Amino acid sequence: MYDVIIVGSGYGGSVMAARTAPYGKVLILERGKRWNSGEFPTGLRAFSAAYRSRRNPLGLWEVRLGKGTGVGFASGVGGASLLYYGITTRPDDHALAHWPVTSATLDPYFRRALDVLRPESCPDAHTIGDQRFFDLVEPGKRVDLQNVIDWSKCTWCGDCVSGCNRGAKRSLDKTYLPLAETAGAELRSETEVVGFTMRGSGGWDVRVQKTGDPSTLETIPTRTLVIAAGTMGTLDIMVRQRNLMPLSWTFGTDIGMNGDGAAFLYNTPYAMGSHHGAPITTTVRLIHTDGNGLPRTLTVMSGRIPKFLMHASATMMNGLSEVMGERFEDRQSLWIRAKRRLADLRAVGPDGALSRTLMYKLDGQDSAKGQASFDERGQSSIDWPDYANDPILVFAAERLRQWATKVGGVLLCDLGTWPGMKSFGVHALGGCRMGKNVEEGVVDDLGRVFHPAGGVYPGLWIVDGSILPGSLGVPPSLTIAALAERAAEYLLTRPSSAN
Ligand SMILES: Cc1cc2nc3c(=O)[nH]c(=O)nc-3n(C[C@H](O)[C@H](O)[C@H](O)COP(=O)(O)OP(=O)(O)OC[C@H]3O[C@@H](n4cnc5c(N)ncnc54)[C@H](O)[C@@H]3O)c2cc1C
């Protein structure tokens, strides 16, 4: 019998494992495989082959298409940290204003997570060019980021989102998970959880199998069960459980995309270094006042294109700018602009149009109106047909238009507004949102799962992106880590509440 079984090794799972392992018998179950530096796919073909599917259940990445949205996420030891840019940032206090836990309460847990993650600013960020651009269009609003990256090893190869083969990214398999394993936690990778039932004598029986192989089904008992399978993975698991155990009616509702969006200001007069694959290092943080007079954060990043997509993207933008682009006048001659576009067709570099293109990558406090839907296999996707018209995205589009008017270039507006296209994001948050009671949420502010008849299910927790009750407006990993730090502390100091 384990004291704690944790499903998933992303942010929620790794933190819970690291903090509980010194005090009991802990098992982490992760459906993906271990990826070591040097093993991540390089190039478009290898990246495509790493797509997770029924035929390739150990794949690294996956996209779920719903009405209006597409959500990307990862599977592997370390969860989505394997594919992220390592941006580690606290949300504005107002982003948590209506949460059952305040920013001030979370303060010590943010600091505890930062002590482990140790994010650092890129020492050479000022040489990229995008800082100067942001200072021009939004004076005084630039925020330089900190990333969980060892900058001395980072070569700006641009492969953050397909996995770092340079050993520069300190993903969770290099931070929290070694803490957990050193303290005695067992980690079973390539092992997926298919369900669980409450034991008569207390605790939970967890049904697991080798990933993709139902013939290997076995049951493992535990006193406490922590579901940390990421927003989409947790929705997949909990929708099956809902048939066996009642949950709050809020299950699967109020899902945010964290304002994810992307647009392009192509071929401007300003060098922005977008031909580098450097991680995202620079943003501006803007505040939009919503219809109720409340502040909402919009983080605009100078996004990046992975190196293996660089040439294809430059060629595509070259063509699309002619067909879909809206031209804003600048002081440069037609010939200079054309020369840059021709340069990109030969090889993407500092003389090309892409190097002077702003990748307008957004994280924003959207209104979290997504709804989970499930296919015949019980796999979740997120429906939000008019997501692209959410007020934060409309605000973002207006702001980009203002910048285009100021600096010139060709505006390619948010993909989600193009006919037949969807808005894509990698930050789906919610679906098992926390609330003060079962009317407001699936879990309480610690992640304990509410029973609709009253109280919580003993020893059952959800601790991952799915419990966030709204979008943050900044990348979410640090907030998930802080919530997990707090949940783990509570679980350890009041073990009876978990049993
Ligand atoms: C390309 C990309 C870039 C990003 N960039 C940033 C960034 O720079 N900064 C930032 O803060 N955030 C970023 N994010 C988001 C961030 O990585 C996630 O918000 C965070 O990792 C979510 O943590 P989580 O605990 O919810 O679970 P996840 O990280 O999603 O991990 C869940 C794990 O559970 C496993 N799992 C699922 N189902 C099962 C099952 N049935 N059995 C066993 N295991 C299961 C999965 O395989 C996965 O490994 C990015 C995400 C992506 C995809």
Side-chain angles (χ1 to χ4, degrees):
M1 169 81 105
Y2 284 92
D3 292 307
V4 185
I5 284 185
I6 295 163
V7 185
S9 60
Y11 260 89
S14 298
V15 175
M16 292 298 280
R19 297 310 184 195
T20 54
Y23 304 98
K25 203 170 165 218
V26 172
L27 173 65
I28 310 161
L29 298 167
E30 167 55 56
R31 73 178 170 194
K33 63 175 200 164
R34 280 191 195 264
W35 291 83
N36 297 311
S37 183
E39 293 173 357
F40 288 104
T42 47
L44 187 53
R45 187 177 296 183
F47 187 65
S48 309
Y51 188 77
R52 184 175 174 277
S53 64
R54 238 191 293 200
R55 273 208 222 124
N56 182 23
L58 296 179
L60 177 61
W61 65 284
E62 190 176 349
V63 175
R64 297 270 177 88
L65 298 178
K67 294 191 183 110
T69 74
V71 175
F73 55 102
S75 292
V77 173
S81 78
L82 296 173
L83 303 188
Y84 75 166
Y85 283 105
I87 300 166
T88 301
T89 186
R90 256 184 94 147
D92 291 328
D93 289 353
H94 63 246
L96 278 60
H98 302 288
W99 288 27
V101 56
T102 65
S103 186
T105 307
L106 282 181
D107 191 55
Y109 305 100
F110 276 119
R111 282 191 272 119
R112 206 173 281 180
L114 286 169
D115 280 348
V116 176
L117 296 168
R118 293 181 293 112
E120 293 164 44
S121 297
C122 174
D124 300 318
H126 61 282
T127 65
I128 296 175
D130 48 5
Q131 293 188 347
R132 284 190 299 277
F133 178 79
F134 280 145
D135 289 344
L136 175 76
V137 291
E138 293 288 350
K141 304 236 172 82
R142 167 157 63 84
V143 179
D144 295 334
L145 292 170
Q146 294 198 312
N147 309 58
V148 185
I149 287 177
D150 178 347
W151 292 106
S152 67
K153 293 186 182 158
C154 178
T155 59
W156 291 6
C157 71
D159 290 344
C160 300
V161 287
S162 53
C164 179
N165 280 320
R166 307 288 190 285
K169 185 161 52 172
R170 292 198 301 269
S171 40
L172 291 163
D173 51 326
K174 298 190 179 66
T175 54
Y176 273 104
L177 287 171
L179 282 182
E181 291 190 271
T182 306
E186 289 170 54
L187 196 160
R188 276 172 69 174
S189 58
E190 305 181 30
T191 306
E192 69 185 331
V193 168
V194 292
F196 53 89
T197 41
M198 197 188 277
R199 291 164 66 83
S201 52
W204 300 87
D205 279 330
V206 186
R207 290 190 304 286
V208 309
Q209 63 187 34
K210 289 300 285 174
T211 300
D213 183 358
S215 71
T216 57
L217 193 66
E218 62 173 307
T219 300
I220 310 177
T222 180
R223 292 196 174 82
T224 299
L225 176 60
V226 179
I227 308 296
T231 298
M232 308 309 283
T234 291
L235 285 168
D236 293 354
I237 293 173
M238 294 309 287
V239 75
R240 293 194 292 265
Q241 291 304 128
R242 195 174 50 169
N243 298 328
L244 307 170
M245 46 187 283
L247 295 173
S248 162
W249 67 269
T250 63
F251 174 74
T253 66
D254 301 336
I255 302 175
M257 292 285 288
N258 207 30
D260 242 319
F264 301 93
L265 188 53
Y266 178 70
N267 204 0
T268 73
Y270 299 94
M272 263 172 273
S274 310
H275 61 293
H276 293 301
I280 296 173
T281 54
T282 298
T283 65
V284 288
R285 221 182 256 196
L286 305 173
I287 302 297
H288 167 58
T289 305
D290 71 12
N292 299 317
L294 298 173
R296 289 187 166 258
T297 301
L298 175 72
T299 303
V300 179
M301 304 182 203
S302 168
R304 301 283 177 232
I305 292 178
K307 268 264 157 71
F308 63 84
L309 286 178
M310 201 75 89
H311 193 254
S313 306
T315 310
M316 209 161 66
M317 262 186 246
N318 210 327
L320 281 177
S321 61
E322 284 299 303
V323 187
M324 310 282 291
E326 187 181 349
R327 164 112 216 109
F328 288 79
E329 277 314 312
D330 60 50
R331 55 186 162 69
Q332 297 193 309
S333 71
L334 186 63
W335 168 235
I336 289 178
R337 293 195 301 259
K339 221 165 66 172
R340 286 201 296 258
R341 291 172 58 176
L342 284 172
D344 266 350
L345 294 180
R346 286 193 299 274
V348 175
D351 301 329
L354 194 74
S355 77
R356 288 162 183 264
T357 295
L358 173 70
M359 323 272 172
Y360 193 69
K361 159 86 183 71
L362 308 172
D363 272 17
Q365 268 187 277
D366 61 35
S367 48
K369 287 189 179 148
Q371 302 277 333
S373 64
F374 300 91
D375 66 15
E376 66 289 348
R377 291 168 57 209
Q379 299 216 57
S380 54
S381 55
I382 294 174
D383 289 343
W384 189 349
D386 63 345
Y387 170 67
N389 295 321
D390 188 82
I392 200 77
L393 294 181
V394 173
F395 170 71
E398 286 165 5
R399 196 53 79 106
L400 180 57
R401 185 165 283 278
Q402 285 169 19
W403 295 1
T405 311
K406 192 165 181 177
V407 301
V410 183
L411 177 63
L412 283 163
C413 58
D414 194 309
L415 279 184
T417 61
W418 294 15
M421 285 296 288
K422 294 177 193 291
S423 299
F424 284 88
V426 291
H427 296 133
L429 299 171
C432 298
R433 56 169 292 169
M434 58 169 88
K436 292 198 187 79
N437 52 49
V438 72
E439 287 303 314
E440 274 186 14
V442 174
V443 299
D444 69 6
D445 60 322
L446 291 157
R448 296 177 303 171
V449 179
F450 285 124
H451 194 305
V456 294
Y457 285 97
L460 180 62
W461 302 63
I462 302 177
V463 184
D464 60 16
S466 73
I467 68 171
L468 269 65
S471 290
L472 293 169
V474 297
S477 61
L478 181 63
T479 306
I480 299 170
L483 289 169
E485 287 279 6
R486 181 165 175 264
E489 183 184 85
Y490 191 93
L491 196 155
L492 290 169
T493 52
R494 295 176 184 76
S496 60
S497 70
N499 291 311

